[in-house]
Amino acid sequence: MFDGLSSKLERVFKNLKGYGKLSEKNIEDSLKEVRLSLLEADVNYLIVKEFIESVKNKAIGEKVAESLTPAQQIIKIIRGELVELLGNNEPLNIKAKPPVIIMLIGLQGSGKTTTAGKLALYLHRIRRRVYLVPADVYRPAAILQLKKIGSSINIPVYETPEENGKVLQKPDEILKNAIGIAEKQAYDTIIVDTAGRLEIDEPLMDELKLLKNKFNPNEILFVADSMLGQSAVTVAKTFNDALDISGVVLTKVDGDARGGAALSIKKTVDKPIKFIGVGEKLSDFEVFYGDRIADRILGMGDILSLIEKAQDSIDEKSAKSIEDSLNKKDFTVKDFAEQLKMMSKIGGITQIAGMIPGFSKIKDKFNPEAAEKEIVKIKAIIDSMTEKERINPDILNGGRRKRISLGSGTTVNDVNIFINKFEEIKKIMKSFKKNKTGSLKNINNIKNMFNKGDFKWR
Ligand code: GDP
């Protein structure tokens, strides 16, 4: 989502690199560009104005640190302001007496029901006993959708009584019954998927207000579709004025929205963004950290989220098998296939690439979407190989290569290219082994290192 803004800012900083010292003139010039970049990213103009003023004052007042170049000084100040704008991470309020109630509100199509499933999976992973409650009584399809989501992740869903496609209970009755069941079954967290409309209307707000007043939810999260840009922010404001929300979940951050919603919403409603949705899959969900997003915007990547994603998606058994394959004498095509599988679990190349520091700089040379297509081809090639060939690709003579190309719908040339590339990868793996840096045991050490702030910033 932040690609456009990211590459524009990158250009501003590049120009600044030519200066030996920060002067009022070059600060002014670069801030003009930054201002334009933010406006083009659809950030609210009043927020942009304040942002630029604040950066300017800090840049002019800043004591010149000998160790930083002008570009680094400006980036440092801008990073600070971006973090301020995006807000700090604020954890979910789930420590209260169970069952904790989390109510999701927002317009239809914003991603509410999907978010209910994502949040359920996230909470399940941190060992909460979650109960999903569909309270959109006007759209039986939404209830069905939540049921499907629940069963796909093994999370219980409240059974709403229906007759001839009509829901027989009102939302407040549903929630009352659900709380009773949660208490009996020792479910400690209830996620309520409320009704949404295509536009805000009084009856919808009244229904939500009634739920709020009757059950006093521990969290009221507004689900905002980042693709709607500024208008998502306006809608958030209306919901917040009526219901005093406790936080925001920003969805579709993986899309090509320009970033305006993310950068304006916290300042406008003065409520924290707590999570972001980064894809259609239920695992495409991240805790929101303003500083990490600021780093992504500034092209510094987001290693911490990447590590967390890897830890969430890879179970211990698979991690062990990767580690074993790294420690083995010979790295085989079979091990490689296992790693490809793992990578797609983490979210595929496109998502991983966006989190790698400095990626924005090589974006022109490396196209993750193209790489993703290439991987589909490679998977087909590996699938067409026999077990023996995967363990020992040296036996791949012309005849075998031809058979594999026919089986995988590729050309012999594709197979040759893959085998050559694989030999290169094998070499890299060997060097990993020597350095021992490939060990997944090191993930926690790396994480601690970053947390301790040893990370040399730029
Ligand atoms: P609701 O009407 O608010 O309950 O919205 P849904 O949960 O049904 O979502 C509407 C559409 O948005 C669906 O097609 C979802 O798959 C999609 N969606 C939801 N969250 C995300 C997200 O974070 N990224 C992407 N790309 N799509 C999403």
Side-chain angles (χ1 to χ4, degrees), residues 333 337 376-386 390 403-404 407-408:
V333 177
V376 172
K377 213 190 247 178
I378 290 176
K379 278 185 182 153
I381 292 176
I382 296 177
D383 281 345
S384 297
M385 289 166 76
T386 63
R390 284 184 204 138
R403 192 206 76 238
I404 293 169
S408 56

Side-chain angles (χ1 to χ4, degrees), residues 10 16 22 33 84 88 106 112 120 131 188 194-195 264 287 290 293 321 347 361 370 427 436 439 443 455:
E10 192 83 40
L16 261 174
L22 269 189
E33 298 287 322
E84 175 88 26
N88 278 323
K112 236 179 319 94
Y131 193 32
D188 56 23
T194 62
S264 315
V287 174
I293 297 289
S321 87
K361 287 197 202 92
K427 271 187 217 139
K436 287 256 180 232
S439 166
I443 280 186
F455 179 39

Side-chain angles (χ1 to χ4, degrees), residues 196-214:
R197 301 284 154 81
L198 291 172
E199 52 191 55
I200 301 158
D201 61 19
E202 279 303 314
L204 167 71
M205 283 302 180
D206 289 344
E207 182 182 301
L208 297 174
K209 276 184 202 162
L210 177 77
L211 288 177
K212 173 175 174 161
N213 293 337
K214 265 194 161 167

